Amino acid sequence: MANETMVPADRAWDQASVRILEKSLTDGIDTVFTRIDTQRNQCGFGKSGVCCKICHMGPCRITPKAPRGVCGADADTIAARNFLREVSGGTSAHSDHGRHLVLKLKKVAESGGGDYAIKDEAALRRAAIAYGVKEEGRTASEVASELADVFIEEFSSQEETLKTLALAPEKQQARWKKTGVEPYGIDRMVVEAMHRTTMGVDHDYRNLLLHAFRTALADGWGGSRVASITSDILFGTPNPIRSEVNLGILGEKTVNILVHGHEPALSEMLAVAAQDPEIVQYAKDAGAEGITLAGICCTANEVLMRHGIPVAGNFLQQELAVVTGAVEMLIVDVQCCMPSLPEVAAAYHTEIVSTTDMAKTVGAKHQAFDEDNALDSARALIRRAADNYKRRDPAKVLIPDVKKPLVAGFSVEAIKYMLGGKYRGSFRPLNDAIISGRIRGVVGIVGCNNPKQKLDAYMNILARELVAHDVLVLKTGCAAIASGKEGMLSPEAALEKAGPGLREVCEAVGMPPVLHLGSCVDNVRILEAATEIIFEGGLGDDMAALPAVGVAPEWMSEKAIAIGCYFVASGVDVVLGNPFYISGSAKVTNFLNEETKELFGASFYVEEDPMKASETIIALLDAKREKLGINKKSERKLLDMKDRRAHGV
Ligand code: BF8
């Protein structure tokens, strides 16, 4: 049962969550915030990565008195194997998401896409050029068909390295070649990871960890990149768009439908269906004033970026949204959807609907989404939610009056356009601002929430500190939603919160100091932006040289481990707000935190305090600036007579 001694204000940063957490206690509802308390005594062997249950001679746990498992594996082998399996889990999730989109692109190209179409032909042709697919003089369908084949090969290629690697700066490609981590097809990398970690195969922790980086590269410069590109082709490349965020976006008198998960195919159709006058009328006939479609987690980010659909909350708010008592239907697809949702929903009228055959939840209504009749499927779901509106119990409803306006939609194309205009779109102004010191560096803050930490606290304290120190912050995933709730995704935030240099740039361009780049697969947009900065010139030819850092402050998912690894392998230092499960092996820890510097020019840092993290990050940025010879703060000072003579004025 819910822990009545829990203090909501200690668990969440935003007031909407605090208010609903209080309600959950009054209503006697268990949530992730109370379950974490029943799981506080977590296994030390698991946490330090030295529990092995890969074969059935075990499970084995390594201690000073028992330094080897039954098979003879030591702490280094066991921790490295566990780590590689986690990276494989994360890579699989992002990449399978990518695969579904690529197969849809192929179907659309062959006129079997039903209600889907190529929405952004310019994005298609840009991608074709990047991948060496002939596009001139060919129809969009012809180009899309061949491009889809190229993408499908990124999954299936057996002995050829990924084509997407060629989009990276040459220095990165050379490092990957030298280190032997250039990935073959994504599927092969994951299968090989599972093979190598099975009993009695690969026992060399270094060899295992190198394959972890290789597998992660198959995610970042493979599955995730392909997912992001294909989403832009099918659903449109994001552009700056206004919306709102937090539980206060739920309507008192509207049919409230939440989409939750990751894949944009269904939510795109729901966004279309929710505008259909016939469907809106259906909701009105059910006694509502209209329909509010909103999102949770990364599906929210997908439809926010392209349609301005409001965001109800991030990962730890999924149950809280149900506890408002005002949600008619919560539609889930894959990833990050808690299995507890039907149990929470049982106390209210909310219906949890699972839509993907590979992702079912006991207690949820399963209604497989028919992608061949996508719009009809979406309409049917909304009608069902409208029917459910009649069951809403006003006595159980509490919608906190808390929400914030935001601007999202910063694809790399949009950033270029914003900086340079339609005809001169380029990263030059950003490079110049970095070189002159107005912008100290660029930091990507990404990833999840974790109930071990106070919801959003680390992410928001860190973002506030960095922005105040003239650091441009790029955000994705649940971290971006946290900044939205904090009001940092609005251009006005630059005036109030940014340091003088960053403020000057933001004001000139009219952009927020924290840019929302999309969902977790869109972390590749951060690498794409870093690549553009290099191609633009003046800041070295190696991502490892850039004053850029990645941070996963409140991460919890295996996907975040894969992301961290492909950032480091790409030369970007990564700061973690909570550690990997590797501390039981000094060698594995040293490899990830030290040896990678030599191999990739970047490594991992763990900093559990956000203020200290901000100091570490600023020191890392300044060290890079020093190496580039640009670490002098440009100040506008009045010239005295001596200076004037020296300048000949
Ligand atoms: O996809 S939704 S909890 S895993 S950050 Fe993290 Fe959030 Fe999940 Fe990344 Ni996105």
Side-chain angles (χ1 to χ4, degrees):
M1 273 311 287
N3 174 4
E4 311 248 327
T5 61
M6 189 243 286
V7 181
D10 294 344
R11 301 297 180 88
W13 181 265
D14 75 276
Q15 287 313 303
S17 296
V18 171
R19 187 67 200 88
I20 297 301
L21 205 40
E22 285 164 355
K23 181 174 189 287
S24 75
L25 297 180
T26 316
D27 292 1
I29 305 296
D30 266 323
T31 64
V32 64
F33 296 92
T34 50
R35 290 190 301 271
I36 184 75
D37 290 339
T38 65
Q39 294 286 345
R40 286 279 179 207
N41 192 17
Q42 289 176 332
C43 171
F45 295 98
K47 279 214 290 211
S48 55
V50 293
C51 170
C52 181
K53 53 183 189 62
I54 274 171
C55 87
H56 282 232
M57 292 190 284
C60 296
R61 307 184 306 184
I62 301 303
T63 66
K65 281 190 182 155
R68 287 184 184 268
V70 178
C71 74
D74 61 11
D76 306 327
T77 301
I78 293 171
R81 277 199 304 221
N82 289 339
F83 187 78
L84 173 51
R85 284 206 166 184
E86 289 188 286
V87 169
S88 303
T91 299
S92 304
H94 290 142
S95 300
D96 216 27
H97 164 171
R99 182 205 317 278
H100 292 152
L101 290 166
V102 168
L103 294 177
K104 181 157 302 304
L105 179 66
K106 184 71 184 171
K107 272 192 170 180
V108 166
E110 293 178 349
S111 319
D115 298 315
Y116 297 97
I118 291 164
K119 195 159 175 192
D120 190 340
E121 194 174 328
L124 169 72
R125 293 189 183 275
R126 269 199 311 273
I129 292 166
Y131 281 84
V133 169
K134 182 176 166 350
E135 55 89 30
E136 226 184 309
R138 297 174 89 189
T139 66
S141 297
E142 285 166 346
V143 177
S145 178
E146 192 178 329
L147 185 66
D149 288 339
V150 171
F151 286 167
I152 289 167
E153 261 188 46
E154 295 292 77
F155 292 88
S156 62
S157 94
Q158 300 301 313
E159 294 190 319
E160 270 197 45
T161 53
L162 295 185
K163 293 206 167 48
T164 307
L165 301 183
L167 305 185
E170 279 173 17
K171 273 268 167 74
Q172 264 53 56
Q173 295 182 51
R175 273 183 208 269
W176 298 333
K177 198 179 192 74
K178 189 170 162 218
T179 323
V181 295
E182 289 177 301
Y184 296 148
I186 300 155
D187 294 351
R188 176 168 177 185
M189 291 301 91
V190 173
V191 170
E192 188 175 316
M194 294 307 284
H195 178 192
R196 286 165 73 151
T197 52
T198 203
M199 191 266 147
V201 185
D202 197 356
H203 303 130
D204 178 336
Y205 74 93
R206 263 203 193 90
N207 211 34
L208 286 159
L209 293 174
L210 282 173
H211 192 66
F213 284 101
R214 195 178 184 203
T215 306
L217 283 171
D219 177 355
W221 295 90
S224 281
R225 187 69 182 263
V226 159
S228 195
I229 294 171
T230 310
S231 294
D232 288 355
I233 294 170
L234 287 172
F235 310 125
T237 304
N239 267 308
I241 191 163
R242 287 190 179 273
S243 190
E244 292 180 320
V245 59
N246 216 340
L247 296 169
I249 58 89
L250 294 170
E252 291 279 356
K253 293 189 176 147
T254 58
V255 174
N256 294 317
I257 303 170
L258 299 183
V259 283
H260 174 23
H262 280 73
E263 295 194 4
L266 166 61
S267 47
E268 278 287 324
M269 280 304 149
L270 284 164
V272 176
Q275 309 277 335
D276 182 337
E278 196 190 309
I279 295 294
V280 174
Q281 189 55 49
Y282 191 93
K284 288 184 176 164
D285 292 345
E289 287 179 358
I291 299 165
T292 298
L293 179 68
I296 301 265
C297 279
C298 276
T299 284
N301 289 323
E302 297 280 359
V303 281
L304 165 70
M305 295 284 283
R306 298 190 174 89
H307 300 278
I309 301 270
V311 178
N314 48 3
F315 178 65
L316 288 186
Q317 289 180 291
Q318 57 187 281
E319 293 168 312
L320 301 184
V322 176
V323 175
T324 63
V327 174
E328 275 55 57
M329 183 178 280
L330 196 161
I331 302 167
V332 301
D333 53 44
V334 291
Q335 301 171 29
C336 300
C337 306
M338 291 184 188
S340 58
L341 285 170
E343 205 183 311
V344 176
Y348 307 94
H349 73 302
T350 309
E351 191 166 38
I352 309 294
V353 179
S354 57
T355 52
T356 312
D357 284 346
M358 64 176 264
K360 294 187 179 178
T361 299
V362 173
K365 154 97 185 142
H366 187 68
Q367 177 129 10
F369 177 52
D370 178 1
E371 296 205 9
D372 294 332
N373 294 294
L375 202 48
D376 280 346
S377 261
R379 283 196 194 103
L381 281 168
I382 299 180
R383 276 197 207 98
R384 194 181 165 99
D387 292 341
N388 202 23
Y389 180 76
K390 296 169 200 152
R391 293 179 50 235
R392 190 192 284 187
D393 178 355
K396 289 187 179 176
V397 172
L398 175 72
I399 301 174
D401 186 19
V402 180
K403 60 181 178 181
K404 281 274 171 47
L406 62 81
V407 179
F410 293 97
S411 59
V412 167
E413 284 305 306
I415 296 173
K416 263 192 197 170
Y417 174 72
M418 183 178 63
L419 291 170
K422 187 168 181 186
Y423 300 104
R424 288 185 301 114
S426 98
F427 269 62
R428 192 70 252 158
L430 179 62
N431 282 34
D432 288 344
I434 295 172
I435 292 166
S436 70
R438 286 200 298 281
I439 291 179
R440 193 173 206 148
V442 180
V443 170
I445 304 182
V446 310
C448 333
N449 311 125
N450 188 327
K452 291 176 181 172
Q453 294 158 280
K454 181 173 174 175
L455 164 63
D456 294 346
Y458 190 131
M459 304 206 262
N460 285 332
I461 293 169
L462 179 64
R464 184 191 66 201
E465 285 302 306
L466 292 176
V467 160
H469 286 88
D470 293 319
V471 174
L472 177 64
V473 174
L474 310 182
K475 280 205 167 190
T476 59
C478 289
I481 299 174
S483 272
K485 288 188 274 173
E486 184 72 349
M488 293 292 276
L489 298 184
S490 71
E492 295 73 32
L495 307 180
E496 294 157 21
K497 308 277 170 55
L502 177 63
R503 176 185 164 150
E504 199 181 305
V505 175
C506 290
E507 263 191 300
V509 181
M511 71 181 191
V514 178
L515 301 182
H516 188 335
L517 269 66
S519 66
C520 279
V521 293
D522 291 326
N523 279 318
V524 299
R525 294 193 203 272
I526 298 178
L527 295 184
E528 193 188 346
T531 308
E532 288 283 343
I533 291 173
I534 286 173
F535 290 167
E536 189 56 49
L539 285 165
D541 56 358
D542 184 345
M543 289 224 228
L546 289 181
V549 173
V551 197
E554 302 174 27
W555 72 277
M556 62 83 202
S557 167
E558 288 172 330
K559 292 181 284 174
I561 306 180
I563 294 164
C565 285
Y566 72 66
F567 265 60
V568 165
S570 302
V572 181
D573 287 314
V574 170
V575 178
L576 304 169
N578 56 67
F580 294 139
Y581 293 155
I582 53 167
S583 61
S585 165
K587 286 180 181 164
V588 168
T589 305
N590 187 60
F591 185 94
L592 294 175
N593 296 356
E594 296 298 333
E595 283 185 49
T596 44
K597 287 178 187 156
E598 199 55 42
L599 297 171
F600 305 121
S603 67
F604 288 104
Y605 299 78
V606 182
E607 194 46 80
E608 298 189 34
D609 177 86
M611 296 302 286
K612 286 196 186 135
S614 121
E615 284 168 24
T616 303
I617 292 162
I618 288 170
L620 284 167
L621 296 175
D622 286 351
K624 296 278 170 80
R625 297 184 62 83
E626 194 67 41
K627 266 197 177 168
L628 285 166
I630 56 169
N631 199 24
K632 31 192 176 333
K633 188 100 180 114
S634 75
E635 283 171 41
R636 288 208 203 90
K637 65 167 196 166
L638 294 174
L639 303 182
D640 60 20
M641 277 319 286
K642 205 169 128 218
D643 290 326
R644 280 170 183 272
R645 265 182 236 116
H647 285 85
V649 285

